[in-house]
Amino acid sequence: MAWAASLVVVAALHLGSGWQGYVAPLVFGGAAVVGFGCLPLLRWRRMPVGLVAFSLVVLALVGGYWVARDSAVEAGDPAAVLLDLVPRLLTAARPAPATPELLVPGALLVFGVSLVVVLAIARGRSLVGPVGGAAVLYTATALLTAGRADPRGVVAVGLVALVAVGWLVVDRVEAGGRVLLGLPAVPVAVVAAVAVVLPGGDAFEPRELVEPPVSDLGVASPLPQLASWANLGDTELFRVRGPERAVRLVALSDYSGAAWRAASLYGPIGAVAEPDLPSGVRVDEAEVEITVGELGGRWLPTVGRPTAVTLDGAMVDPDSGSLVLRTELTPGLKYRVRGVLDVPDDTDLLNATVPTDAGRYLELPGLPYSLAEYARQIVQNARTPYERAVAIEQVVKQGRTPDAQAPVGSSYARLERFLFGNPGEPGANAGTAEQFASAFAVLARAVGLPTRVVVGFQPAEGEERVVRGSDATAWPEVYFAGWGWVPFDPVAGVSSGGSSAAQKREVLDRLASITATPTSTPLSAPPPPLVTPSSAVAAQATGGSQRWIGYAVLGGVPVLVLLVFGLARLVRRGRLRAAGATGAWAYVLDGLLLAGRTPPADRTAPDIAAGLASPPARELARMADRAAFAPAAGSRPPDPAHGEAAWRLARQVRVGLRHGVPWYRRVFWTVDPRPLWRR
């Protein structure tokens, strides 16, 4: 029993590596101890073992529901709460936060495995039950962590050593035999050798089997807040401890021509979802600790594309890596976040290409001619996408100054004023990081470079850095195929972590003849077409007449459909009337269908008529039965008078059926298409 308990407890502690911190191993180890502590109850002779085990399982499930009920979507349904625990765990961050509801699946698994092992031992000496239980827990750990919990197999070898001790030592001691102390080393060595030679590859990812929940949060873009943050000056927004990296708040990919919009659909950070543009082949992973001060809002500062966070309830946009909290940030909130950044070498970007099907990262709805022509002149001598990006960065910097008091906004009109405005005009050749980054992103898109705008912070250097309002900024990023998102620096004096200054200087030296002299005036834009008052009135009249035509067509389509159905019903009625008594009875069956009283297919006509309690129906059913199963002898044509009598009875039955239906069914009685498809 001690050997079995130690084997299961070690596997339970290993399962705790799938959660953050030390709480999970303690909880799972305690669940294993509780499971083995139930042995006296299972050996209690006054109650059947099965009943005791069933009662313990029910108590465990009730306890799990009681712990997780407050955080469940459907708190009133215990089965739904318990069944939702595993999907919630598989869509949480990795490692999972050690919250009570996320600990419940692991605790229930450990308790269940321990109970099965105890049952196996209680019914007789079992050397297989404990091994199977430890294997189940180890496999669950490997699935939950995608093989990262024991990358070198140390825990596996330790479990095999415990198994060898139980099979070769404990068994011999209890049997009174001689113990061969060197014998357990044999299976341990075999397992270690097999683990070394086994091929390694991508681990199976069970999270791919779970459809993550997606929430429409509709969080506003923080880009317009740059000016207000700058006015806060030395106010502490948050602190960051860890590697020196630019801190990101949100990446904005959708541009409407008037403003940049943040993504609205967010999912759990632990869900397996690849971004629409994949990461590069050279990446760097960094982990920082954030302590929130006066930041406010719901956006969470992070580094790179976040892969794990210690906050429960954090949601992420997998495409941009923007991290958001369901509730407002509060001062003192502390969490750790780990992210992945693209870090290509300078030489990698010189001849890098960009995707031509980048979708929303190239969209510029209604781009003015002045901006498109300006971008074309900037890059006319650039040979590669990287050179185009460097040239645009230099031109946007040139002759323009950052100004926290400049008008906000990133619309086409604001960017034209920022780039082409005359001296003295508000916002001419001056702006916040919003205008610098937006101008770069729009001009780059105009020449085929996929871009987005990132709102973030550039704190001072140091192990623990205080991020103040004056550190808030924005920078554009360009996507290069195979190398990922690369930041650029169109704001003078601010480094966003892009490629080195030496590499950019080499490019600018070659492009110096054109980067300093692109035309910076909207005069190259073609004049708008002259519209005389008479032509404007004619255009309005034409547009109005076209709108009325559209309205007429839109309203006439359903009327036309109803007329077609009505005509088809008339054709069917004529065909049934020509069929005599059988057609008349089919006409009655059509009426039953319209009245919502369709009889079963196996009922005969007299049975159906008896259920209607109508003398005309009974008479018509008798006539239809006779016409169908006892037709007149010979080839004599049917008597027209007989058919007219049957049709008269059918109309009487139909009138009674129609009077018995609600008014809204009577409105469409003559055009309802359902009888057309009745066999």
Side-chain angles (χ1 to χ4, degrees):
M1 179 63 67
W3 163 75
S6 62
L7 191 62
V8 174
V9 167
V10 170
L13 295 176
H14 178 56
L15 178 64
S17 59
W19 283 257
Q20 300 169 7
Y22 59 88
V23 175
L26 294 179
V27 171
F28 299 157
V33 172
V34 171
F36 277 88
C38 295
L39 180 62
L41 290 175
L42 296 173
R43 286 179 171 173
W44 193 25
R45 300 299 182 185
R46 295 186 178 181
M47 293 187 65
V49 175
L51 181 59
V52 175
F54 176 77
S55 302
L56 292 173
V57 170
V58 170
L59 286 175
L61 294 177
V62 170
Y65 165 72
W66 184 80
V67 171
R69 73 188 191 283
D70 292 335
S71 61
V73 178
E74 299 180 10
D77 186 357
V81 172
L82 294 173
L83 291 175
D84 192 48
L85 291 175
V86 174
R88 290 178 62 187
L89 177 60
L90 292 178
T91 53
R94 177 182 284 159
T99 57
E101 64 275 6
L102 294 181
L103 289 173
V104 167
L108 290 177
L109 177 64
V110 172
F111 179 77
V113 167
S114 302
L115 203 60
V116 171
V117 172
V118 170
L119 279 171
I121 296 177
R123 298 172 68 90
R125 258 178 8 110
S126 173
L127 296 176
V128 178
V131 178
V136 168
L137 295 179
Y138 185 86
T139 303
T141 308
L143 290 174
L144 182 62
T145 62
R148 301 175 189 174
D150 189 23
R152 291 181 170 79
V154 175
V155 178
V157 172
L159 289 174
V160 170
L162 281 175
V163 171
V165 169
W167 283 3
L168 303 176
V169 177
V170 175
D171 186 46
R172 281 181 166 269
V173 169
E174 292 189 353
R178 186 165 58 91
V179 177
L180 301 177
L181 296 178
L183 205 55
V186 176
V188 175
V190 171
V191 170
V194 171
V196 170
V197 301
L198 279 178
D202 294 335
F204 170 70
E205 181 55 86
R207 296 177 178 230
E208 296 178 355
L209 307 178
V210 179
E211 185 71 23
V214 177
S215 301
D216 189 350
L217 300 182
V219 188
S221 166
L223 189 60
Q225 291 185 249
L226 289 177
S228 61
W229 279 330
N231 292 328
L232 292 178
D234 293 335
T235 301
E236 180 179 330
L237 300 181
F238 59 92
R239 291 175 179 262
V240 56
R241 177 188 293 271
E244 296 179 3
R245 299 285 189 275
V247 181
R248 308 159 66 91
L249 198 63
V250 59
L252 307 170
S253 307
D254 298 320
Y255 184 65
S256 64
W260 293 92
R261 297 191 302 268
S264 60
L265 299 180
Y266 295 82
I269 192 173
V272 177
E274 291 298 326
D276 49 7
L277 293 179
S279 301
V281 295
R282 299 182 191 273
V283 296
D284 181 30
E285 191 172 39
E287 183 174 340
V288 297
E289 181 181 86
I290 305 289
T291 304
V292 177
E294 300 298 326
L295 179 60
R298 295 164 64 183
W299 298 103
L300 289 169
T302 180
V303 287
R305 185 167 63 89
T307 58
V309 65
T310 57
L311 281 179
D312 185 30
M315 308 287 283
V316 68
D317 171 30
D319 296 327
S320 66
S322 304
L323 200 61
V324 68
L325 200 61
R326 291 183 178 274
T327 57
E328 294 286 330
L329 300 181
T330 55
L333 178 66
K334 181 183 291 186
Y335 62 94
R336 297 191 67 84
V337 60
R338 185 167 63 250
V340 176
L341 303 89
D342 295 311
V343 287
D345 292 338
D346 294 342
T347 55
D348 297 332
L349 300 176
L350 285 177
N351 298 312
T353 60
V354 295
T356 57
D357 56 346
R360 57 179 173 154
Y361 301 101
L362 290 172
E363 289 182 354
L364 289 172
L367 177 67
Y369 177 80
S370 59
L371 293 176
E373 177 64 15
Y374 189 47
R376 187 193 65 80
Q377 294 182 32
I378 292 173
V379 303
Q380 59 184 345
N381 287 346
R383 298 173 301 184
T384 65
Y386 177 71
E387 289 186 357
R388 295 202 295 268
V390 173
I392 294 172
E393 178 188 51
Q394 178 66 15
V395 170
V396 172
K397 273 186 183 183
Q398 221 168 28
R400 299 180 178 92
T401 56
D403 183 3
Q405 305 303 320
V408 300
S410 50
S411 64
Y412 288 139
R414 177 66 184 96
L415 296 182
E416 286 182 313
R417 175 69 62 84
F418 171 70
L419 295 171
F420 312 135
N422 297 319
E425 292 181 341
N429 297 312
T432 65
E434 177 184 7
Q435 285 76 51
F436 281 91
S438 298
F440 178 100
V442 169
L443 295 174
R445 288 189 178 191
V447 294
L449 301 179
T451 59
R452 66 185 185 185
V453 172
V454 179
V455 181
F457 305 89
Q458 294 286 350
E461 299 180 354
E463 175 62 24
E464 182 174 7
R465 301 173 296 284
V466 177
V467 180
R468 308 183 188 280
S470 56
D471 297 324
T473 184
W475 62 86
E477 292 183 339
V478 179
Y479 184 84
F480 293 93
W483 305 111
W485 290 101
V486 177
F488 283 82
D489 173 20
V491 183
V494 178
S495 173
S496 58
S499 53
S500 68
Q503 185 68 61
K504 292 181 180 179
R505 179 50 53 192
E506 292 181 8
V507 175
L508 292 174
D509 288 343
R510 195 183 70 78
L511 302 177
S513 60
I514 63 100
T515 55
T517 58
T519 182
S520 59
T521 171
L523 295 179
S524 58
L530 295 177
V531 180
T532 62
S534 58
S535 62
V537 172
Q540 290 179 358
T542 304
S545 62
Q546 291 177 349
R547 283 197 299 270
W548 279 111
I549 293 174
Y551 294 151
V553 172
L554 187 62
V557 168
V559 175
L560 180 62
V561 172
L562 292 177
L563 289 176
V564 170
F565 285 151
L567 181 61
R569 287 281 302 277
L570 286 175
V571 173
R572 177 179 175 84
R573 176 175 174 173
R575 190 171 64 251
L576 295 179
R577 183 165 187 172
T582 55
W585 181 251
Y587 188 62
V588 170
L589 294 179
D590 287 351
L592 289 172
L593 173 63
L594 294 173
R597 299 170 60 182
T598 303
D602 59 347
R603 296 194 64 185
T604 64
D607 290 340
I608 297 173
L612 295 177
S614 169
R618 287 195 291 270
E619 177 63 20
L620 178 59
R622 184 185 61 78
M623 296 171 64
D625 243 10
R626 179 176 299 175
F629 300 107
S635 57
R636 185 176 56 188
D639 185 4
H642 187 269
E644 284 298 328
W647 192 253
R648 189 166 50 254
L649 293 172
R651 285 203 304 269
Q652 294 177 12
V653 177
R654 283 278 292 243
V655 170
L657 291 174
R658 183 172 181 176
H659 285 316
V661 300
W663 66 269
Y664 54 86
R665 287 193 176 182
R666 289 198 296 270
V667 171
F668 296 99
W669 184 274
T670 57
V671 295
D672 195 321
R674 289 181 295 171
L676 300 174
W677 302 311
R678 191 184 68 80
R679 294 182 58 184

